[in-house]
Amino acid sequence: MSTPITRIETETRMSNIVIHNGVVHLAGVVGEPGGDVTSQTRECLTEIERLLALAGSDKTRILRAQIWLADINADFKAMNAVWDAWVPAGHAPARATGEAKLATPDYLVEIIITAARA
């Protein structure tokens, strides 16, 4: 018997959340275009918390984070300051950060999360 797949906030192109075998996969999350990397990172993390709660998880259950920055040299330190304040002590996930062209030049950061369901 196959394990069901749950999709939440599904549109034609993608779902914001997919849950399978107790693992929550979030689509890439971005902040409001036009802000600096600090504000965009805060907005991303607020949205990630909302999505995780909707999926029955929370930020203490994050397994992996993949972070994309439009300009890693300019924004890595500022993004990390927001990230480090947000991650609960003792619950740092596996994480990778890279540089990439994002959907528009107005996006400075995109975060993709995989978490365990509570």
Side-chain angles (χ1 to χ4, degrees), residues 8-115:
I8 302 172
E9 295 189 357
T10 300
E11 299 173 6
T12 303
R13 180 170 292 154
M14 60 181 254
S15 297
N16 281 328
I17 305 166
V18 175
I19 304 167
H20 183 254
N21 281 338
V23 179
V24 176
H25 303 270
L26 300 186
V29 177
V30 295
E32 288 296 317
D36 64 10
V37 76
T38 297
S39 65
Q40 286 190 28
T41 302
R42 283 189 187 121
E43 292 163 0
C44 285
L45 298 177
T46 298
E47 178 65 0
I48 286 167
E49 285 188 67
R50 183 189 76 79
L51 292 169
L52 288 173
L54 195 58
S57 189
D58 63 58
K59 65 183 177 178
T60 67
R61 304 194 49 83
I62 296 174
L63 304 170
R64 180 175 179 271
Q66 183 176 358
I67 302 172
W68 294 108
L69 293 169
D71 187 340
I72 199 164
N73 292 322
D75 294 332
F76 189 66
K77 185 176 179 179
M79 179 278 299
N80 272 330
V82 177
W83 174 267
D84 292 345
W86 181 77
V87 173
H91 295 281
R95 191 186 104 170
T97 305
E99 182 177 275
K101 284 186 179 181
L102 301 179
T104 76
D106 294 327
Y107 291 131
L108 304 179
V109 59
E110 181 172 359
I111 303 175
I112 304 165
I113 295 290
T114 304

